[in-house]
C-alpha cells in the first residue's frame, strides 16, 4: 500500500495536461477581455459617427 501511494504521488504524467489547460484558460480570458474592450470602443465610435451624421 505504501509503495502504491509513493508511485501515485511521484507520477507526473497528468501535470502537463493540467498546465496546458490552465494556459488555454488564461489565453481565453485575455481574448475575451480584449474583444470586450475593442468592441466597446468600436461601438462608441460608430454611435458617435451616427450621431454626428444626423445633427
Amino acid at each position: 500500500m505504501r509503495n502504491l501511494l509513493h508511485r501515485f504521488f511521484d507520477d507526473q504524467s497528468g501535470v502537463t495536461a493540467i498546465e496546458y489547460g490552465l494556459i488555454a484558460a488564461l489565453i481565453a480570458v485575455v481574448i475575451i477581455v480584449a474583444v470586450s474592450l475593442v468592441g466597446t470602443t468600436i461601438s462608441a465610435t460608430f454611435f458617435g459617427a451616427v450621431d454626428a451624421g444626423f445633427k
Side-chain angles (χ1 to χ4, degrees), residues 12-50:
Q12 298 286 322
S13 61
V15 175
T16 304
I18 293 171
E19 290 171 350
Y20 284 133
L22 290 174
I23 291 170
L26 180 64
I27 290 171
V29 168
V30 168
I31 290 171
I32 290 169
V33 169
V35 168
S36 295
L37 292 175
V38 170
T40 303
T41 304
I42 290 173
S43 177
T45 301
F46 281 128
F47 282 124
V50 169

